[in-house]
Structure formats: C-alpha cells, structure tokens
Amino acid sequence: ILQVGVCAMDPNTGRIKAWVGGIDFNFFKLDHVRQSTKRQVGSTIKPLLYNVALDNGETPCSTIDYTKPSIPGFEKWDPKGTKYFIDGSQVSLKDGLQVSDNRVAAQIIKKYGANALIEKAEQLGIDAAFENVPAICLGTTDISVIEMTGAYSAYMNAGIYSKPFYIERIEDKNGNVIYQNRPQSKEVITQEIAKTMNLMMQQVSKDRGTASRLRSQYGFKNEIACKTGTTQSNSDGWFIGSTPSLLTTIWVGADEPSITF
C-alpha cells in the first residue's frame, strides 16, 4: 500500500493551504508531512547543491567535465549519469539540473565539498542528520516534507525563506484572540541567485526535463519551477513544484522503505 504526504503553501507568507498526512487516518496514523517523519529526498536536494555553485560565482552556463569524479577517499564512487551526455564532454549546470544528472551533481560536490551543501540546507531551515560524504548530493539524507517545502520557498520568494505555519490565530468562545501567529521569514539567499535558481528549475518542466510530462501529458502551459526526486530502488518518489502563489511538495512511498515501487 503506497502512502502519500502533501504540503501546499503560499511561498510568500508560509501559510499552509493543504496538508495531507496519509491516505486514510482511520487505518494509517503516521503523518508523512510533519517534521519528525523523514524520508530520503533523492534529487530534490540538487537545487540546494546548484545554489552552492551559484554562490561561488558559477552561472547556469558554467560547464563541468563529464567524467568520473574521483574524489579523494571515495575513488570508487562514480554515480551513473543520464543518456544525454557523453563521457569527456562539457555539460552546463542548467542542462545538468534539467535532466537531474547524477554525475554533474557529483562533480559539483567534488568542487565545493559536502560541508557546503550541509550548510546550505541548514541555512534553508532543514534540520537533518547529514553524513559528511559526497553521496548526500544525490539525496541520501532523510528530510521531512514540511522542511523541504520551507527550503524551496526561498527560490519562489526572491530569496526570502518563509517558515511554514498552519495556525493563524486562536480565539476563545467569546472571540478574544488568545494566540496570534507571527509569520517568520528572513532573507537567506540573494534575490539574483533566487531568480536564477527559479529559472533553472522552470526548465525541469520543459523539453527533456524530468517533469516535462506536466506539459506533454497533462497540458499545463504556465510557468512551473519544479524538481523531481526518486531514491534507491524507487522506495520514494518526490515532486516539488511552484507557481508564484502556490508551492507544493508531494512524497509517495510505503510506510516501510524496504517496500519499493
């Protein structure tokens, strides 16, 4: 039985519009959105990695050598690439993200290190047990749906991180406000980098991008910035997508990661 976790929010304010913790609360009590429920995020971690590259002066047109990363201490690690690029060629960052190529991600983390990705995740509100190993660039870390939603808000909101919230205020029986939420937001990346990342993620829903079926199969014509993600043996399937006014994270998988698609 496949489960689902869905969190949709306004990226400009952090106000949650929809929260689906599972398929049937009568029989399945585990809430797959809340922060304490974490699963491997797969390639949805890659925009954070590409953000690191942009922070260090790279551009969407910057290229990397499409070769085995050969990272000291991890010489045998060589993630499988996609069918789109030839060994030894030069691949731009925008093309690597569009098709979610693992070898491009491996070259980026070789260049900037695992610590840079971990620090970026923390900057974007993620509290997770990252291992300091190159493979985290492929999404081996367990992170919750609600944390990933908050992290992506910066790319949809001009660099401003909006912390997700679902209680706006609480009133007593007489209408007196006894609790008023104070939305939490802060600038975590520059507006320029946020806009660039947004444009790069819009390419994921076009042409050969991993989410191009949004257009070819489902007929969406508006601009959608997004990223897909799958984990080892297809235990988890992720999609994070946003229009200017709605950011949605979807996770699908079984309660037990040993059960795969």
Side-chain angles (χ1 to χ4, degrees):
I1 296 176
L2 292 179
Q3 296 289 341
V4 65
V6 178
C7 183
M9 79 171 201
D10 181 344
N12 304 297
T13 64
R15 181 182 287 107
I16 291 176
K17 302 288 190 177
W19 178 310
V20 181
I23 56 174
D24 189 332
F25 186 73
N26 290 323
F27 301 101
F28 304 100
K29 305 299 185 185
L30 184 59
D31 187 328
H32 290 284
V33 172
R34 65 182 183 179
Q35 187 162 342
S36 59
T37 305
K38 300 177 185 282
R39 291 291 289 254
Q40 284 191 349
V41 293
S43 293
T44 57
I45 199 68
K46 287 178 182 173
L48 281 67
L49 177 69
Y50 281 74
N51 188 166
V52 169
L54 296 184
D55 285 343
N56 285 276
E58 306 269 13
T59 74
C61 295
S62 297
T63 59
I64 60 98
D65 295 324
Y66 197 69
T67 57
K68 179 180 177 180
S70 300
I71 299 173
F74 301 91
E75 285 83 3
K76 293 183 179 181
W77 185 62
D78 185 18
K80 184 179 179 181
T82 58
K83 62 183 179 181
Y84 297 105
F85 310 125
I86 301 172
D87 284 0
S89 63
Q90 294 287 306
V91 178
S92 69
L93 297 187
K94 63 183 178 64
D95 288 346
L97 182 62
Q98 183 180 35
V99 300
S100 198
D101 192 280
N102 287 342
R103 183 171 277 188
V104 174
Q107 288 287 0
I108 296 173
I109 204 153
K110 174 186 179 181
K111 190 170 184 178
Y112 297 108
N115 270 329
L117 177 56
I118 295 170
E119 290 172 3
K120 179 58 62 179
E122 292 173 349
Q123 184 183 29
L124 292 169
I126 293 174
D127 180 15
F130 284 92
E131 288 187 81
N132 197 334
V133 296
I136 62 173
C137 73
L138 306 183
T140 57
T141 308
D142 293 343
I143 305 173
S144 68
V145 167
I146 196 167
E147 286 174 295
M148 290 302 292
T149 308
Y152 270 60
S153 68
Y155 303 123
M156 314 305 168
N157 188 30
I160 306 297
Y161 165 83
S162 299
K163 185 174 182 179
F165 70 90
Y166 51 86
I167 296 176
E168 188 167 294
R169 68 179 182 276
I170 300 173
E171 300 175 357
D172 64 16
K173 64 180 181 179
N174 297 315
N176 298 311
V177 177
I178 58 176
Y179 169 78
Q180 180 70 52
N181 179 68
R182 299 180 183 276
Q184 299 180 43
S185 62
K186 60 180 178 179
E187 184 175 358
V188 291
I189 54 179
T190 68
Q191 183 174 345
E192 181 181 2
I193 287 178
K195 183 177 181 179
T196 302
M197 285 301 309
N198 189 292
L199 290 170
M200 289 174 68
M201 282 193 279
Q202 286 182 33
Q203 297 305 306
V204 175
S205 65
K206 299 176 181 178
D207 303 323
R208 62 182 180 181
T210 56
S212 60
R213 279 183 295 177
L214 287 172
R215 304 190 185 283
S216 62
Q217 186 169 338
Y218 298 105
F220 287 98
K221 299 185 184 301
N222 54 315
E223 297 298 338
I224 302 171
C226 60
K227 188 69 189 76
T228 59
T230 55
T231 60
Q232 191 170 7
S233 302
N234 289 318
S235 293
D236 309 270
W238 289 78
F239 177 79
I240 306 178
S242 183
T243 62
S245 60
L246 189 67
L247 166 62
T248 303
T249 300
I250 303 169
W251 166 87
V252 179
D255 279 342
E256 292 296 327
S258 59
I259 303 170
T260 69
F261 293 136

